[in-house]
Amino acid sequence: MKIKTKLNAGVGLLFLMILVLSVLSGWYINQLKKDTNNILEANYNTLQYSRNMLLALEEISSDPLAYGVFEKHLEKQQKNVTEPGEKEATDNVAVHFQALKKDSGNVALQSSIRKDIAELMQLNMSAIEHKSSIADSTAKSAIMAISVTGMLCFLIAFILLVNLPSNIADPIQILTGSIKQIANQNYRERVHFESKSEFGDLAMSFNIMAEKLQEYSESKLDKIIRGKRRIETLIDNMHNPVIGIDENKKVLFVNNEALKITGLKKENFVGKLIQDVAVMNDLVRNIIKEIIEGNTKNASETMKIYADGKESYFEKEIIDINVTPTGEQQSQFIGQVIMLRNITPFKELDLAKTNFLGTVSHEFKTPISSIQMGLQLLENDQIGSLNDEQKNLVNGIKEDSDRLLKITGELLNITQVESGSMQLNIQSSDIRTIIDYAMNANRSAAEQKQILFNINIENGLKEVLADTEKTSWVLNNLISNAVRYSYENSQITVDVKKVGEQVQFSVTDAGQGIPPQYISKVFDRYFKIPGTKKEGTGLGLTISKQFIEAQGGKISVESEIGVGSQFSFTLHER
């Protein structure tokens, strides 16, 4: 039977039973109403008339008007004769009343009238009892019929409540589970409904669809396998080590380069949990430490690995793989790919560049020193006097040689930092000595622009743990930049104060400031703010950052366009 037919039959039958119950209840209520009205209209009125006639009869002897009252109620009773024997009794009352009107003092006639009225009342009382029993019988029949009909309605409703929802919901639940199996690519799932309802047709259509999907899946299996092998071959022939793991950290694939640097065999790698592999291999443990710690965002770093008979450098990158399943909107994490890019050639080039810069810078210092020595001799009056044009030319050569010497010094410093050969002599250093060195080195340039220095040292601060030479160089560089970019007749403030467990040096100027988009780049190597006409190599702040961080401190900058800049660095207190 079709689901629609079941619903129509069940709901229709229930509706019919409710209709029958309503009609039956209405009919019995109408019958009870008729029985009640019959008692009220026929018998109760007669009793009322008889009572009024008795009252009037008692007053006849004293009140002549009582005859009229008696006669009025007698006429009403004559019109309300409904029971057998009631007419005879009413006629007797009328005959005796006529006789009493002629002989008003006759006590026997009054007694006869009372007896006639009593007989009339008795007839109606008996009729009321009989009709009352009929009404009770009607009420009992009504209760029985309505109860039976209501029970039938309840049974039908209960049967529908138990069977109808399950007949609809159970097949839907089975079909939903089967659809989920198909979504999980279990195309062998089938649905079997014995009924010939709409669900039977739906199950047949579902099975046909699953069969076609299975056929399609099996027909594409060969292409999928070939595509998988193609990807595996591509990964195996990559020149960079690659390791792939799933969401449970099980190794899915590893290429030959990764096997070569780890020294492991493929069967000991693929299919294993990468944590288990890391227990037996230090290099793998070092590669996956960010994965174990759950911090893959900062996983990019340079690793030095002994491979191919030499030390090689690799840049590690961990990529999370997220896909959005068909028909869904939320992406799902399915694994990670670990890539090691071989940057050994770039490292070698960088090292060659560093060595070249170091060699060139060192070779430059000798002729520059000779030039400066020659300038000093030219400025000596004992050698001979110079005219004004010659003095201007000597001053220009001196400025150029100073600038070349400064650039050469910066290049030497950066090569020391890059090559790792920088040596620090950290000891107790006097704060005032560091500041005085930087102030004296920049006093002449500040006086030319009429710039005033404001030095503030917090009480109690005297010494810091630092390399005096390199820290003085950093402060000198910051003050030199402040003088260079400050306006004339302005002020530069140097503050030294304690911040937590460290001492902070700050240099604040009232210059043009740094645009917000360049603040994060000012410490980058060779970076110059676009649009500035000031000379420089772009290495001063980079070297300052390296010097301060090598001493365990930090350097930072705050700036606002049109207001000025503040460069700060921290060192440990003595």
Side-chain angles (χ1 to χ4, degrees), residues 113-129:
I113 292 172
R114 288 190 183 91
K115 289 180 180 180
D116 294 336
I117 294 174
E119 183 180 358
L120 184 63
M121 293 179 70
Q122 183 61 39
L123 287 172
N124 281 277
M125 289 295 292
S126 298
I128 287 175
E129 290 179 0

Side-chain angles (χ1 to χ4, degrees), residues 69-308:
V69 174
F70 188 95
E71 189 173 7
K72 182 179 72 170
H73 289 291
L74 178 59
E75 291 175 355
K76 290 182 178 180
Q77 171 56 31
Q78 289 174 338
K79 297 178 181 179
N80 193 42
V81 175
T82 58
E83 303 298 332
E86 188 176 354
K87 185 177 186 307
E88 291 79 3
T90 302
D91 292 341
N92 289 334
V93 173
V95 171
H96 292 148
F97 178 68
Q98 293 299 326
L100 183 63
K101 287 174 67 176
K102 296 177 181 179
D103 186 6
S104 59
N106 193 335
V107 177
L109 287 174
Q110 292 182 359
S111 177
S112 298
I113 292 172
R114 288 190 183 91
K115 289 180 180 180
D116 294 336
I117 294 174
E119 183 180 358
L120 184 63
M121 293 179 70
Q122 183 61 39
L123 287 172
N124 281 277
M125 289 295 292
S126 298
I128 287 175
E129 290 179 0
H130 177 67
K131 292 178 179 179
S132 179
S133 63
I134 293 174
D136 289 341
S137 178
T138 303
K140 291 178 180 178
S141 300
I143 292 172
M144 180 61 69
I146 292 173
S147 299
V148 171
T149 307
M151 183 59 69
L152 289 175
C153 290
F154 173 78
L155 290 175
I156 294 173
F158 181 76
I159 293 171
L160 292 175
L161 180 65
V162 171
N163 294 324
L164 195 58
S166 60
N167 286 337
I168 297 175
D170 290 348
I172 292 176
Q173 186 175 3
I174 294 172
L175 188 62
T176 302
S178 299
I179 291 173
K180 289 181 178 179
Q181 290 293 326
I182 293 295
N184 292 328
Q185 299 183 359
N186 181 17
Y187 301 127
R188 298 183 183 276
E189 180 70 15
R190 298 293 184 270
V191 178
H192 301 285
F193 294 141
E194 299 297 334
S195 64
K196 296 182 180 180
S197 63
E198 290 88 345
F199 287 115
D201 298 337
L202 184 60
M204 185 181 299
S205 300
F206 177 86
N207 292 337
I208 293 173
M209 177 198 70
E211 186 176 352
K212 290 184 177 180
L213 285 174
Q214 182 181 356
E215 180 181 353
Y216 178 79
S217 174
E218 291 176 352
S219 67
K220 295 294 182 181
L221 184 60
D222 181 59
K223 292 183 178 179
I224 293 173
I225 293 174
R226 282 188 294 177
K228 178 176 179 292
R229 289 176 178 171
R230 189 181 297 114
I231 293 173
E232 289 176 348
T233 303
L234 178 64
I235 293 174
D236 283 338
N237 285 279
M238 290 180 66
H239 296 295
N240 292 321
V242 179
I243 302 173
I245 60 176
D246 64 9
E247 65 274 16
N248 297 317
K249 296 182 174 58
K250 181 185 288 186
V251 179
L252 297 176
F253 57 84
V254 56
N255 67 353
N256 294 329
E257 288 295 326
L259 295 174
K260 186 186 298 182
I261 66 170
T262 58
L264 295 172
K265 294 183 178 180
K266 197 167 189 176
E267 56 268 20
N268 297 329
F269 214 140
V270 178
K272 308 288 185 181
L273 290 175
I274 198 163
Q275 304 97 303
D276 298 338
V277 180
V279 172
M280 305 300 295
N281 191 286
D282 293 337
L283 178 57
V284 176
R285 183 163 57 250
N286 190 27
I287 291 173
I288 68 166
K289 64 181 180 179
E290 289 85 6
I291 296 177
I292 301 301
E293 295 170 357
N295 184 25
T296 59
K297 292 184 178 179
N298 299 320
S300 296
E301 62 176 33
T302 301
M303 300 177 62
K304 184 163 61 174
I305 301 173
Y306 188 81
D308 295 331

